[in-house]
Amino acid sequence: MPDLRGRVAIITGASSGIGKGTAVEFAGLGAHLALTGRNQENLQATAKACVEAGTPQDKILLLTGDICDEDVRKNLVDQTVQKFGGIDVLINNAGIGHFAGLETTDIAEYDKLNHEY
Ligand SMILES: NC(=O)c1ccc[n+]([C@@H]2O[C@H](COP(=O)([O-])OP(=O)(O)OC[C@H]3O[C@@H](n4cnc5c(N)ncnc54)[C@H](OP(=O)(O)O)[C@@H]3O)[C@@H](O)[C@H]2O)c1
C-alpha cells in the first residue's frame, strides 16, 4: 500500500459509499483529508471513522455544499490550501447514478446527469 503520511487529499462525495470508504482507507494510510458532501451528519460520521482509522481530528477539514456550485468548488480548494498548504490528491468522486433506459428517462434527468456533474 502507498504511504500517504502527511499527503493532502480532497475527497468529494465523502459522506457515503465509495467516497466514505476511500476517506477511511486514506486515513489508515496517514493522509490529511478535505472531505465534502451535502449531508453534514453523514460527513461527520465519516470524519469520526477517519479519526478511528488514524487521521487526527485537526487534520480533517469538512465542507458541506453542492459540488455543482462553482463557488463551493472554489471554496473547497481555497480552504484546503489555506489549512494544509497545498493539495496532493483529488478524488473527484461525488456524483449520481441513474439506472434506467433512455425511453423511461425524462430530459431533465438526462440533462442533470450530463451537464451538471
Ligand atoms: N456504486 C457503483 O456501482 C458506481 C458505478 C459507477 C459509477 N459510480 C460513481 O461513483 C461515485 C460514488 O458512487 P457511490 O455508489 O459511492 O454513491 P453514493 O453512496 O450515492 O455517494 C455519492 C456521494 O456523492 C455526494 N454527492 C452527490 N451529489 C453531490 C452534489 N451535487 N454535491 C455534493 N456532493 C454530492 C453524496 O453526498 P450527499 O449524500 O452528502 O449529498 C455522496 O457522498 C458516484 O459518482 C457514482 O456515480 C458508482
Side-chain angles (χ1 to χ4, degrees):
M1 284 299 237
D3 183 358
L4 294 181
R5 270 176 293 185
R7 298 287 181 155
V8 178
I10 290 178
I11 304 175
T12 68
S15 51
S16 68
I18 295 166
K20 180 176 184 177
T22 304
V24 174
E25 190 69 23
F26 274 31
L29 296 171
H32 298 170
L33 299 165
L35 307 175
T36 79
R38 290 169 297 192
N39 185 314
Q40 191 163 17
E41 199 178 316
N42 287 351
L43 207 51
Q44 276 166 350
T46 298
K48 186 170 180 285
C50 290
V51 169
E52 286 163 7
T55 297
Q57 185 81 57
D58 68 334
K59 300 299 180 190
I60 299 174
L61 175 66
L62 299 184
L63 290 168
T64 49
D66 188 334
I67 208 71
C68 297
D69 181 336
E70 188 173 348
D71 289 341
V72 168
R73 296 195 296 271
K74 188 173 182 327
N75 185 44
L76 169 63
V77 170
D78 289 349
Q79 287 212 38
T80 303
V81 170
Q82 194 178 342
K83 181 172 176 66
F84 297 118
I87 299 163
D88 298 302
V89 181
L90 169 64
I91 305 293
N92 189 22
N93 164 77
I96 52 173
H98 181 77
F99 301 95
L102 260 185
E103 71 281 9
T104 55
T105 302
D106 67 40
I107 198 70
E109 186 69 19
Y110 183 84
D111 284 346
K112 186 176 178 186
L113 284 165
N114 286 290
H115 301 303
E116 289 181 25
Y117 280 91

